[in-house]
Amino acid sequence: MIEHVGDDEIIQDEISNLHNHHGGKTAAIMIWLGILIDGIPESFVLGILSNGADNSSLLTFVIGVFLANFPEAMSSSGTMKACGVKTVTILAMWGTIFVGTGFGAALGALTFPPGSGEKRSSILIQVGIEGLCGGAMLTMIANTALPEAFEQGGNVVGLSCLMGFMSAIAVKSLSMG
């Protein structure tokens, strides 16, 4: 009888691990989807900035995008791999983002040629696209990344998130000064 209870506990642990394993995979795919949704408008803005912005604004934007996306991409890829997603599938997923953002940047550069950034309508469209980028990223972080990070990392996650935002503000402030 005692062995039977032990077996039940082992089975329950395995079911729990399977459930957590599936949840991690879902979270990793949601992070990938968030980066995809955020990456297209971001790349559009990158194309716009490549035509009309000064080098410091372009560099600040590229550094900000890198700082925002690289840790999420690494975490998402690692989690997908740990959950059994094939390497080819992971590379194909990131490859679609790579190609999609390339097209987005080209479209942004073609839609807003040099000098078009002086028109009020162009500025409003660009600000709207940048707002869409920020909203998409914030939604993904709030719904997927922070709960998953808190579950795995505990209380240090809030401080890490704050430090990320402070880094972004510092990069932006340095480019303005």
Side-chain angles (χ1 to χ4, degrees):
M1 188 67 107
I2 294 173
E3 286 181 11
H4 182 68
V5 171
D7 289 343
D8 286 345
E9 289 175 10
I10 291 171
I11 291 169
Q12 289 300 324
D13 285 345
E14 288 300 317
I15 291 171
S16 175
N17 287 340
L18 238 139
H19 177 69
N20 290 338
H21 189 73
H22 178 70
K25 181 178 176 181
T26 301
I29 291 171
M30 290 297 107
I31 290 171
W32 173 85
L33 184 61
I35 292 173
L36 175 66
I37 291 169
D38 181 54
I40 302 301
E42 261 178 1
S43 65
F44 195 81
V45 170
L46 182 62
I48 295 169
L49 290 176
S50 69
N51 277 339
D54 58 1
N55 287 339
S56 68
S57 294
L58 183 59
L59 184 61
T60 300
F61 184 77
V62 170
I63 289 171
V65 168
F66 178 79
L67 289 175
N69 292 332
F70 186 71
E72 294 167 353
M74 293 300 291
S75 171
S76 175
S77 298
T79 302
M80 282 189 264
K81 185 69 177 166
C83 291
V85 178
K86 294 179 183 176
T87 303
V88 173
T89 303
I90 296 169
L91 289 173
M93 291 171 73
W94 292 110
T96 59
I97 292 178
F98 176 76
V99 171
T101 55
F103 282 125
L107 186 61
L110 291 172
T111 305
F112 294 94
S116 65
E118 297 168 8
K119 299 177 186 173
R120 181 168 167 73
S121 61
S122 295
I123 293 170
L124 290 175
I125 291 170
Q126 185 176 349
V127 168
I129 293 170
E130 288 177 5
L132 180 65
C133 292
M137 185 54 68
L138 190 57
T139 299
M140 188 278 301
I141 290 170
N143 283 335
T144 305
L146 286 178
E148 181 76 12
F150 184 76
E151 182 180 307
Q152 293 181 12
N155 291 333
V156 74
V157 171
L159 182 59
S160 299
C161 184
L162 174 63
M163 295 308 294
F165 280 116
M166 296 302 289
S167 298
I169 290 170
V171 168
K172 182 65 176 176
S173 297
L174 289 174
S175 73
M176 292 170 52

